[in-house]
Structure formats: structure tokens, C-alpha cells
Amino acid sequence: MARKAASLWLLMLFSCASAIHRSQFPPPSHFLFGTSTSAYQIEGGYLEGKKGLSNWDVFTHKQGTIQDGSNGDIAADHYHRYMEDIELMHSLGVNSYRFSIAWTRILPRGRFGDVNPDGVAFYNAIIDALILKGIQPFVTIFHYDSPHELDERYGGWLSPEIQKDFGYFAEVCFKMFGDRVKFWVTMNEPNLMAKLSYMDGWYAPGRCSKPFGNCAFGNSSTEPYIAGHNMILSHENAVSIYRKNYQEKQGGYIGISVSARWYEPLRNNTTDLLAVERAISFNVPWFLDPIFFGDYPPEMRKILGPNLPEFTLKQRKKLRVTKLDFIGLNHYSTWYVKDCIFSSCELDPIDGDARVVSLVKRDGVLIGKETGAPFFYDVPHGMEEMVMYYKQRYNNTATYITENGYAQASNSSLAANNFTSDTARINYISGYLKFLASAIRKGADIRGYFVWSLIDNFEWTFGYTERFGLYHVDFKTQKRTPKLSAQWYTKFLKGLFLTSEFQNGSQLQQCTS
């Protein structure tokens, strides 16, 4: 019996000694560890404080758009509970918080109406409370929600007019909050939103055409790239305004966050290797190549031809000159990729325009452990491969992992105790952090990491059927309950050694006692 106990102790000791540790990352003065949220997903209060209607307010009230028939009218009620949520962040020990500003709280009618003082006061209160707790605000200007009036007036992101609106919105944010906000993200995942909103019709405003979907309006062959083109030029406009009028006196930084899917070839042959190159080109480089180099990747131009808009010489020059201060990468999973030029494939709703199909199995074996989100798998080595690829492609530009997280499948009948022992989330986060630390050791200029998400929230078309939070939210009572992952993150940030493979909560106590 004594020999067995000693063996178990040695096994635990080895596990803890080989664990992830805060010291594997730069010190807090040079590295941000935080959590992420977005306005529509957590705030609620959709008609309070003189807020205008957003595209998502309208979209979620249409029958059949959200999996569980829900909406973000109340969400996690952060609008009324932001002080409580900031206390949660403070208890975690994070030194930064990434959140977004609801466009319609600040400008209920875009540039066609006045600045809303109630909305400005709300975000001033959040920013001031964060700074008081020693938490750096990391602010996203646009995270999917835009004024519905802009869709009604001129078609939203399908019109060049939105470049003026976005520039105006960004400037109001710089003017009102830039004295305290030192990190600005112009947009969140525009490369994903353009496809989900205008190719598949899954996101607001729900436009698409066959074979990608059967929407009442839209053209899946052209509109994603028109919208994307206007987003890129809107980003450039916002960055130009910041550089010219605010950056020098405010001393901040500005960048963009993109969805950074990663890919591996299904087979180690030429066609699948080329398919990976195409899949990558239609993902992050779709947006970052124009920002860094002034034009779209050649793979996109070759496949899409005239459906891909052209930048004028003046626009190309402005893009190259303006650039950005940092890249934000939102990374969750890796997929196998199969070529669909020389092989027949089922249509892929995300990567199909690159003439590929993304898969999660090779020879019947999953690419990684399943999570509670469909098609998201736990593939931690993809983090390092993805980071190192973009390190090389974009000259090791300063980078933040602005989202990375794990979903638990949920339904309204499950109580908090079904979610609080979330060892799978701990294993996921620690695994991805391990490979991120490896990329840093190999020279990648990574300056921060943000867990998605602080609290359970409204997950877009999935409604409340997925929970990404470190804190459980009972959406009937709005009670917040820490999950085991919140305890783990706190201990990690305090510099305690933590095993990267948890089976149960007792291991957390053993490794830190």
C-alpha cells in the first residue's frame, strides 16, 4: 500500500513539474493575460439608455434565425451588472479585459443622429472601474453589431458609404475614451463575419444565395467580397484617423482581430498541400495581405476573378502606409483540408470558396478531442503552427491572441453543477498555452492572451446552447458561479505550477498545495 501511494505521489509530482507556468511567458509589464467578451453577447439592455436598434436586435427577432429561439435582449445583463463582472476579473488576477463598444449605444442612428451621452457614460464607467482595479481596457470598436438604420439606408457593409460611418464611429470612440484606452481593435473577425453574414446567411443581416443557402436576398458569389472590401477600407479609414489626430497625444496602439483557423493536409500529396495554401489565403491573408501589402492574395484573385473587388492605386498606397500596430488572432481549432478542384466534394460553408473542404477525421480518427461546439476540436499544436506561420508572413508583427476558448454544450434544463467541474476546459486552455509558450521561445512576438470568455453568454446563432465562460451564468437569475477553470486561471496567473492534464478538481488542489 505504501509503495502504491508513493508511486501515485511520484506520478502527481512529475505531472505538476512538467506543467504550464506563468514564468514561461514575459512578465506582466510586457504581456497581457485577460478575458474577452463582446457587447451584444453579454450586455442586454437592448432598449435602455437611449440605445438604437442594431442589426442583431432585428435579426434575432426573426423566426428561425437562432437555434434555440433566443436573443440578446437581456443576455448576461452586463448592462446592469458590469461592476460585479469587473470584480470577477479582479478576483481572477487578469491585467487586461477585451470588450467591445455597442455602436448603437454611442450612435443610435450612425452618423445620421447625435452622440448618445448615456452610452458614453456607460462605457466611461466601465473603463474607469477597470483602471481602478489595475486592468487594462483592450477595446474592440466593431464586434458584429452595427446600426440597423445603416442596413435600411444603404445596405450596410455592401455600400462604400459605411466607410464614412465607421470612421465617424471610431473617431467618436477615440475622442471620448482614448485618453484611457491604450489598445484599440478596429474590428473583430471581419473575415469570418463576411462569410457567415453574406455567403451562408447565418449571421445578420442573413444574406446568401444557392448553393450556400436559400435566403430571400443576397449573392454568395459576390457579396462576401464586397462586404470584406468595405471592411478593409473602413479599417484603414479608422487607423488613418487615429494616426493623424489621436495616437501621438494619447499614446495608444491600434490593430485588427481576425479569425485564425488552422489547416493540415488530409493527405501528404501535392493537391492537398495546395488546398491548404488556398484555405489559408481565403482566411487571415484575405484581410491582412491588403493591410500589409496593398492587395489580396494571388490565390484569391485566381479563383474569384472579377468577383473580387480591386483596390485603386491610391487605396493600395494608403493601406501600405497606414498598416497597423498589432495583429489580433482568434484561434480555436485546426481542420484537415482536402482539395476540391481535382476531386468531387460536398460544399463546405466556410472554406468552400477556396475550392476545398475542411474535415475533422482522417482514416476515421478525429483530429482532436471533441468540444461542446460543433466542428471545434481540441488541437493544441495548431496554436504554435498558426502563430509561427503568421510570424513569417507578416514580419513578426506584434501579436495578441485575442480569443481562445472551450465550449460546453448546454440546454435550459441543466443546472450550474453540470458545468462547474470543467476539467476539459482547463486541459484545452493549458494545452494551447503550452504551444503558445513554445512559439514565444522560438521568437514569435506574442504580447498577450485572452480567454474567450469571462462569462457564459449569447453565442450568436447558437443562442444559449454553448457555454464558453470561466464563470457559469444562470440566465434566469443572472447568478454568476465560478467554474473550476476560473480557479485554475487564477492559480496560473499567481505563478503556481499546474498540470496540463486534469481528470478532476482534486488535482488542482494537489498541484498547488
Side-chain angles (χ1 to χ4, degrees), residues 275-295:
V276 168
E277 289 184 19
R278 292 197 306 277
I280 290 171
S281 294
F282 275 70
N283 189 234
V284 171
W286 173 16
F287 274 70
L288 291 194
D289 271 23
I291 291 169
F292 277 90
F293 311 127
D295 204 1

Side-chain angles (χ1 to χ4, degrees), residues 33-275:
F33 268 111
T35 56
S36 282
T37 65
S38 87
Y40 186 79
Q41 292 178 270
I42 67 167
E43 280 184 8
Y46 87 114
L47 292 178
E48 295 186 58
K50 302 183 181 121
K51 177 185 166 293
L53 283 178
S54 75
N55 55 343
W56 275 89
D57 291 327
V58 174
F59 185 70
T60 57
H61 283 252
K62 293 179 180 177
Q63 189 173 359
T65 57
I66 308 302
Q67 189 176 112
D68 59 0
S70 64
N71 55 57
D73 293 0
I74 300 173
D77 198 30
H78 181 73
Y79 185 71
H80 299 106
R81 298 169 185 265
Y82 66 89
M83 287 302 294
E84 177 185 352
D85 292 337
I86 291 171
E87 285 296 335
L88 299 182
M89 296 173 220
H90 184 57
S91 69
L92 282 174
V94 298
N95 62 351
S96 190
Y97 171 50
R98 177 175 172 248
F99 64 99
S100 75
I101 293 176
W103 196 334
T104 49
R105 280 206 195 281
I106 303 300
L107 296 168
R109 301 182 58 215
R111 62 191 159 99
F112 302 101
D114 297 329
V115 174
N116 176 20
D118 289 7
V120 172
F122 173 66
Y123 292 111
N124 270 332
I126 289 176
I127 292 165
D128 290 344
L130 288 170
I131 291 171
L132 195 62
K133 294 291 186 180
I135 300 171
Q136 184 81 248
F138 204 102
V139 178
T140 304
I141 298 170
F142 171 70
H143 195 129
Y144 298 170
D145 54 322
S146 55
H148 174 63
E149 180 158 344
L150 306 188
D151 283 332
E152 292 287 292
R153 278 181 179 265
Y154 54 67
W157 291 107
L158 296 176
S159 170
E161 282 293 307
I162 201 158
Q163 296 169 36
K164 300 174 188 175
D165 262 289
F166 186 73
Y168 180 60
F169 173 41
E171 182 154 25
V172 170
C173 290
F174 301 147
K175 191 180 297 182
M176 298 295 180
F177 313 121
D179 58 327
R180 290 150 293 153
V181 173
K182 303 307 173 188
F183 295 93
W184 292 103
V185 176
T186 56
M187 299 178 180
N188 178 77
E189 297 184 337
N191 56 332
L192 182 63
M193 181 198 148
K195 289 188 177 184
L196 297 184
S197 297
Y198 296 96
M199 189 165 78
D200 300 311
W202 297 344
Y203 278 18
R207 297 178 64 91
C208 67
S209 63
K210 293 180 179 179
F212 285 93
N214 189 26
C215 304
F217 304 98
N219 185 330
S220 298
S221 298
T222 59
E223 289 188 359
Y225 316 108
I226 294 169
H229 198 73
N230 286 321
M231 290 176 189
I232 291 166
L233 293 174
S234 295
H235 159 85
E236 186 279 325
N237 188 24
V239 175
S240 294
I241 291 168
Y242 189 63
R243 296 249 195 268
K244 181 180 178 182
N245 301 324
Y246 299 95
Q247 188 165 35
E248 186 176 351
K249 63 184 177 183
Q250 293 180 350
Y253 304 91
I254 191 164
I256 191 170
S257 288
V258 288
S259 170
R261 296 159 65 86
W262 192 241
Y263 304 96
E264 297 178 0
L266 182 65
R267 304 294 175 196
N268 192 28
N269 56 39
T270 302
T271 54
D272 283 356
L273 288 168
L274 289 173

